[in-house]
Amino acid sequence: MPEPELPIEAAPENAGGLPLAGGRARAFEILALLESDPHNFDLTRQPLNVYRDLREVLVAMFEKQDLLEPFGVSRPQFEAFVEDLCDEYAFNPFHSFTHAVDVTAGAYIGLRQLGGGALLRPLSQWALLLAAAGHDVGHPGTTNAYQKEADTALYREHGGDATLERMHTKLALSLIDKHRLLSGLSAQDATAVRELVEFAVLGTDISANQSIMDSFVAATELVAAHGGSWSA
């Protein structure tokens, strides 16, 4: 029997501040706690059930940011995607579904509290959160260097340049396609989302970090030199 969905304000709390009610109401309560103190609320240290609570939290972030219905995606459709995504994450000490939801929460806060929602069009927000959720999907718990040294099947398939990140991208996009998350978009917009997801996930390769930061600093200086700012 499914758990009852209580109104958010009616969800009781335990001593740790988390609501005891399950399902959708619990997820929105958790997001409220996150948004009230994003610097100190550590999602990874909460007593949350991976197969219930974290999936609900992930869905709730997209729902609260209004990134489902405008793109023709129903909640049950997206829930099925999240279930498959969760199942593809291994129980690694770090690169797990918990990590994926935590990273997505960071991107979510960036959209809601740091100006990202005003600066990015909804299509880009949709791509950003999809990339965050899928950026480590299928992670084997080893590094790119290990893939090369051990000459693994992943290394032979994806090459030595961002081996794991290319695998994550391929798997994330395959799940997006399986659940037809882009079927409500024009061909041009669907291509744009796919390209943004690929760009974002490949950007998580630690070896590319310095070049990305250098490009960001250069762009910031260029904008400032012309009298502008990122918050303008």
Side-chain angles (χ1 to χ4, degrees):
M1 179 180 296
E3 298 176 73
E5 293 187 0
L6 301 179
I8 293 175
E9 63 273 10
E13 296 185 350
N14 60 21
L18 287 174
L20 296 174
R24 201 170 177 185
R26 177 179 173 86
F28 277 97
E29 286 270 8
I30 292 168
L31 287 186
L33 291 170
L34 169 66
E35 291 187 54
S36 69
D37 191 7
H39 294 291
N40 294 308
F41 184 82
D42 187 347
L43 192 64
T44 68
R45 295 183 180 274
Q46 306 306 316
L48 304 175
N49 180 284
V50 172
Y51 289 104
R52 182 190 62 194
D53 301 326
L54 286 179
R55 288 179 180 179
E56 289 280 4
V57 169
L58 185 59
V59 173
M61 284 189 274
F62 283 82
E63 195 170 44
K64 192 169 182 181
Q65 196 60 19
D66 196 23
L67 295 176
L68 295 182
E69 186 176 343
F71 300 112
V73 177
S74 69
R75 181 182 171 90
Q77 179 184 357
F78 193 67
E79 287 175 332
F81 163 75
V82 169
E83 181 177 355
D84 275 357
L85 183 72
C86 178
D87 289 345
E88 290 290 347
Y89 271 94
F91 282 97
N92 294 314
F94 183 77
H95 297 101
S96 63
F97 185 68
T98 300
H99 169 65
V101 177
D102 189 46
V103 169
T104 307
Y108 170 83
I109 289 297
L111 292 176
R112 295 186 69 82
Q113 297 188 6
L114 302 178
L119 295 172
L120 296 178
R121 59 180 181 149
L123 194 73
S124 297
Q125 296 178 38
W126 174 227
L128 173 64
L129 293 193
L130 284 174
H135 82 280
D136 271 333
V137 64
H139 202 294
T142 51
T143 64
N144 282 334
Y146 172 83
Q147 307 306 316
K148 180 178 181 180
E149 181 67 23
D151 191 30
T152 64
L154 286 175
Y155 177 78
R156 291 193 296 273
E157 178 180 354
H158 299 284
D161 176 28
T163 304
L164 294 178
E165 290 73 25
R166 293 187 186 282
M167 179 270 288
H168 301 321
T169 301
K170 180 179 179 180
L171 183 51
L173 288 175
S174 73
L175 291 174
I176 288 170
D177 289 341
K178 175 184 176 181
H179 292 279
R180 299 177 55 81
L181 299 187
L182 307 183
S183 63
L185 303 179
S186 68
Q188 181 179 3
D189 283 347
T191 297
V193 170
R194 294 178 67 86
E195 290 177 348
L196 283 169
V197 169
E198 180 178 12
F199 175 79
V201 177
L202 291 180
T204 65
D205 177 13
I206 194 66
S207 68
N209 180 258
Q210 191 58 55
S211 64
I212 291 173
M213 290 305 300
D214 289 345
S215 297
F216 176 75
V217 170
T220 301
E221 293 174 346
L222 181 62
V223 170
H226 288 80
S229 73
W230 293 115
S231 59

